[in-house]
Amino acid sequence: MVLLYSAMGHVVAQHKVKDSLTQVLHSIQAKKDFSTSDTTYINTLNELGWELTFDPSDSLVLLTRQALKFSREARYKKGESLSLMNMGSYHSNKGETDRAISHYKEAVAIADEINDPNLKLRILNLFATEYYYAGDYSKALDLFLEGTELAEEVGNTLLYSKLLGNMGNLYASQKDYEQAIIFYEKGKQLNNEKGNEIDSAKSMSNLASIYADMRNFEYAMFNVNASIAIFEKHQILDWLAYSYELKGKTYLRQKNYKWALHWYNQCNLLHKRISDDRGKIDLLNGMAEAYYGLGDIALSEKYAEESLEISKKIHFPEGIQKCAMTLYKINKSKNKFSEALRYHEIYQQVSDTLSRDENKRGLAMLKTKIDHDKEQEELILKNKQALAQQTYYVYAAIVVILIFIIITLLVHRNQKIQKKLNKKLQNQKSDLVKREIELNEINQTKDKLFSIIGHDLRGPIGALQELLRMLKAGEIQQSEFMDFIPKLRDDVDHISFTLNNLLSWGQTQMKGAVTKASAFALEELVSDNIKLLSEIAENKSIRLINKISDNTMIWSDVNQIDIVIRNLISNALKFTPENGMVTIDAVEQNNHWEVSVRDSGIGMDLVTQDKLFQPNSNHTTYGTNNEKGTGLGLSLCKEMVEKNNGKIWVESALRNGTCFYFTLPKSQKSYKNVG
């Protein structure tokens, strides 16, 4: 893990800065004409809060809320923007990504409104960093690029070097080490030229992390030792803790567990003075691996579980992945195969999520964009040179009329060619945009397909493979294996149900599914599905009630409606606790039937309801008995209902159950005469 550059050093001789700012606040408050509208007072509140970003107390949020309130009362836009930036940092440290992004976005808008480019640069750096933490590398790099352009334009060398370093971090996270090293070295060189040894040390720390991952331990140790000396000199505690952790990681990669633990313990001492959960995750997991290497399983498990708890708290998937693998090895060594299998499944699921290459493609596209922009700059330069040459010919033509005429003809001819080229370029651009839209649609379909396969099929299959491997290797007895049979059966049923939905959805996406309407009795279709799902209902003691009358005739594609009903009943069973009830009913309207599937389950909030039918949603949840979903069923239901000229919606409230409604056309006598 590389450490992101903040907009300014958070922990630079923190106590001195804190004391100094506190004295300024007291001196302002002591004035006879003191007012909370004083912009100096508001700025000092914001800066003091910023200096306490990594303070274990909530001083940052308390001071920032005051500053935000006073700024709005005084209509002081810069103070409001700074306060929103600090609030974003507070929520970022808590792992509350959505709230952090919302505050940063508002802060940037205000900085634009008051035309303060240096303030905007500070916020852009934090804004992009938050997208990096959220795993949206495409948006992160886009904001970093915007920041570098602005930094060059206004000549802000300090933030320009930080932005370069953070772009290096993006490429490092994609294991594109060569590109990352280019950015780090460029930022380091820039800081050396300006005599900024602290930011130069930050570049060296991240270079050390890269070299450690590349197993170039000599370069890693050289860079980390150089950075530690600078951070100790200036007391930059957060970066010093990170450098200690890097040194521990370098020894760990070399299996020198005792020295790894020595530096991890140095890092741990610093973390007692700062509040940095993201940095603590790698530290704790590194300590767990070191103790495991030394054979101290108890301490290894303690630190791995602590790291996993923090990773879950701040929603950090990379941390969960590393901890799950460590705990898998620990439980396997203790012959706790059930626990080992559970952690292996967690590791597999998180690994599949992280391996999706959507963000990597975004980086590749943006890298292409950078190359394209560079080519455009070169083209503009060539055009300017050509224009200068043409101007020279024009002046020369004044002396010789003949040359003037020739030059005029050449220019005229060149303009005609240029128009043709421009027109051709415009046509090619239109074709390219059209193809890009088509490619994006295909990529979205493919991404969704592989996402579902990765999340909902690979996990159960991986669990089965691991169990069979353990049985074959003699790690578990046949009697122990039989205990897993009910789980394996549920997994196979889940795979079968998911494949059925997947094939149906795939046909609709590839335009292979044709809707063939016919008249059929809805009550019979519902009865068949109740029989099919009766065993699941019986296992949870849920009553399935079919209230649909015998004369409910529908004009739709029977196979597609069969999928809709099966998914909705299955979904209702999934979220209904034991001894509950699921009711299927149909009410006759003017020209259609309104069908309902109502359960007495756990219900859902409005936020969840809004996400249910989104076209690109493949959100997977677990039922009241930990049943797995497909992540596809409801969006598939929506497509099928709409293909049959109906509509679907949901009504629900937490703890009051859920009811899904959808409409289908009535079967009319005139329909029967249509061939």
Side-chain angles (χ1 to χ4, degrees), residues 13 55 75 109 150 183 235 257 279 335 419 463 474 476 525 542 563 617 639:
D55 192 287
R75 297 184 180 180
L150 181 59
F183 281 109
Q235 283 296 289
Y257 302 119
N335 293 327
K419 286 180 181 178
I476 60 174
L525 191 62
I542 295 174
I563 291 171
S617 174
E639 289 185 21

Side-chain angles (χ1 to χ4, degrees), residues 89-187:
S89 297
Y90 171 78
H91 290 297
S92 174
N93 293 337
K94 295 291 184 182
E96 298 167 355
T97 299
D98 290 341
R99 298 185 72 179
I101 288 174
S102 175
H103 283 95
Y104 289 141
K105 190 177 292 185
E106 192 175 352
V108 167
I110 295 174
D112 274 332
E113 180 185 343
I114 62 176
N115 193 25
D116 190 332
N118 289 300
L119 173 59
K120 182 179 179 180
L121 276 173
R122 288 180 65 184
I123 303 164
L124 278 177
N125 192 36
L126 294 168
F127 197 2
T129 299
E130 193 58 31
Y131 274 122
Y132 171 84
Y133 289 145
D136 194 338
Y137 298 155
S138 178
K139 287 186 179 177
L141 186 54
D142 193 39
L143 288 172
F144 281 135
L145 286 170
E146 181 183 351
T148 53
E149 291 175 1
L150 181 59
E152 282 188 295
E153 181 182 333
V154 300
N156 193 325
T157 306
L158 178 64
L159 276 169
Y160 182 58
S161 66
K162 295 179 188 295
L163 290 159
L164 286 174
N166 283 335
M167 284 195 288
N169 296 339
L170 284 178
Y171 285 99
S173 65
Q174 295 294 312
K175 294 183 171 52
D176 189 349
Y177 297 134
E178 292 183 1
Q179 189 67 32
I181 289 172
I182 290 172
F183 281 109
Y184 291 149
E185 291 288 1
K186 187 175 180 181

Side-chain angles (χ1 to χ4, degrees), residues 132-412:
Y132 171 84
Y133 289 145
D136 194 338
Y137 298 155
S138 178
K139 287 186 179 177
L141 186 54
D142 193 39
L143 288 172
F144 281 135
L145 286 170
E146 181 183 351
T148 53
E149 291 175 1
L150 181 59
E152 282 188 295
E153 181 182 333
V154 300
N156 193 325
T157 306
L158 178 64
L159 276 169
Y160 182 58
S161 66
K162 295 179 188 295
L163 290 159
L164 286 174
N166 283 335
M167 284 195 288
N169 296 339
L170 284 178
Y171 285 99
S173 65
Q174 295 294 312
K175 294 183 171 52
D176 189 349
Y177 297 134
E178 292 183 1
Q179 189 67 32
I181 289 172
I182 290 172
F183 281 109
Y184 291 149
E185 291 288 1
K186 187 175 180 181
K188 177 183 171 184
Q189 180 183 355
L190 192 62
N191 284 309
N192 286 338
E193 290 173 358
K194 295 294 181 180
N196 189 348
E197 67 173 358
I198 293 175
D199 282 320
S200 181
K202 293 176 183 179
S203 297
M204 286 190 287
S205 291
N206 283 331
L207 281 167
S209 180
I210 293 292
Y211 286 127
D213 290 335
M214 295 171 68
R215 297 194 169 274
N216 190 336
F217 300 123
E218 182 179 353
Y219 274 39
M221 200 63 76
F222 169 81
N223 280 282
V224 77
N225 285 337
S227 64
I228 285 174
I230 295 171
F231 294 143
E232 286 179 342
K233 172 184 173 184
H234 294 278
Q235 283 296 289
I236 315 296
L237 299 187
D238 50 342
W239 279 87
L240 183 58
Y242 171 62
S243 298
Y244 285 162
E245 186 269 329
L246 278 180
K247 197 162 183 177
K249 181 176 83 169
T250 305
Y251 280 116
L252 184 67
R253 292 280 195 276
Q254 301 175 80
K255 297 185 179 179
N256 190 337
Y257 302 119
K258 289 185 178 180
W259 274 106
L261 275 175
H262 170 77
W263 289 104
Y264 283 141
N265 285 326
Q266 294 296 314
C267 177
N268 200 21
L269 288 173
L270 287 180
H271 273 283
K272 293 178 181 178
R273 299 169 60 187
I274 61 177
S275 177
D276 183 10
D277 284 340
R278 284 193 180 90
K280 202 168 184 179
I281 290 169
D282 279 346
L283 163 66
L284 293 172
N285 197 61
M287 294 179 77
E289 289 185 37
Y291 277 116
Y292 183 84
L294 291 171
D296 193 337
I297 303 301
L299 279 176
S300 178
E301 187 173 25
K302 172 183 177 294
Y303 287 114
E305 287 177 344
E306 187 178 348
S307 181
L308 180 61
E309 182 181 350
I310 296 174
S311 299
K312 288 180 177 178
K313 184 181 77 171
I314 68 171
H315 311 292
F316 190 50
E318 289 86 352
I320 295 172
Q321 179 193 35
K322 291 179 183 177
C323 300
M325 175 51 69
T326 304
L327 288 167
Y328 163 75
K329 292 190 293 185
I330 291 170
N331 282 281
K332 185 178 177 184
S333 69
K334 294 167 68 178
N335 293 327
K336 292 184 177 180
F337 299 114
S338 178
E339 277 297 291
L341 181 61
R342 183 171 72 86
Y343 284 116
H344 186 274
E345 285 188 354
I346 293 172
Y347 170 80
Q348 191 68 51
Q349 289 171 358
V350 177
S351 296
D352 291 341
T353 300
L354 292 174
S355 66
R356 286 180 292 176
D357 60 351
E358 179 180 350
N359 288 324
K360 192 170 183 180
R361 288 199 313 273
L363 276 175
M365 290 173 64
L366 283 167
K367 186 178 178 183
T368 303
K369 177 181 178 296
I370 295 171
D371 293 337
H372 174 73
D373 290 342
K374 187 177 180 181
E375 290 176 1
Q376 288 295 106
E377 289 176 1
E378 292 175 353
L379 184 61
I380 291 171
L381 180 60
K382 288 180 180 178
N383 286 337
K384 286 181 178 178
Q385 291 172 345
L387 183 60
Q389 190 174 21
Q390 288 178 1
T391 304
Y392 172 79
Y393 289 149
V394 170
Y395 282 114
I398 297 174
V399 180
V400 183
I401 299 299
L402 181 60
I403 297 176
F404 173 79
I405 296 172
I406 294 172
I407 292 297
T408 303
L409 291 173
L410 287 173
V411 170
H412 179 68

Side-chain angles (χ1 to χ4, degrees), residues 484-539:
F484 288 99
I485 292 299
K487 181 182 184 306
L488 294 179
R489 179 185 175 186
D490 291 341
D491 284 349
V492 172
D493 289 342
H494 171 69
I495 291 169
S496 175
F497 188 72
T498 301
L499 281 175
N500 187 38
N501 277 351
L502 199 59
L503 291 172
S504 300
W505 175 80
Q507 283 185 319
T508 65
Q509 296 301 303
M510 301 303 176
K511 298 182 175 62
V514 179
T515 301
K516 296 180 179 179
S518 62
F520 63 91
L522 182 62
E523 69 276 8
E524 294 179 5
L525 191 62
V526 172
S527 296
D528 290 342
N529 278 283
I530 287 176
K531 291 176 183 177
L532 181 65
L533 300 170
S534 60
E535 184 177 349
I536 298 174
E538 289 172 5
N539 289 337

